[in-house]
Amino acid sequence: MEKKTIWKELELLRRRVEVLESGRPAAMLSGDSESETVGADRLWLLAGLRQQLEAPGGVAFGGLVDLPDGTHYEWQWGRN
């Protein structure tokens, strides 16, 4: 691993630890420079849940992915 890459990785790890220890939202853990500011566009799933659910709220997991072999998966799970 290049020296520059090691320092970059260490800096990303330092930022992630800082976020975890501060209690800020997990959405800020992406490691990119935009992650310092959480905008509504980055939290679109939460915005959708707020529109769909009443108190006390709910939980949702989902995703879609194309695998290298060409297989496509979509899944969703939710509980309210």
Side-chain angles (χ1 to χ4, degrees), residues 23-73:
R24 289 184 286 184
M28 298 178 73
L29 296 177
S30 68
D32 60 35
S33 60
E34 293 177 25
S35 67
E36 295 300 320
T37 306
V38 177
D41 57 327
R42 293 185 59 81
L43 301 175
W44 56 269
L45 178 60
L46 293 177
L49 287 174
R50 285 186 191 102
Q51 290 177 350
Q52 297 291 322
L53 302 173
E54 296 179 8
V59 176
F61 297 95
L64 54 98
V65 64
D66 292 322
L67 299 178
D69 68 0
T71 307
H72 178 80
Y73 287 100

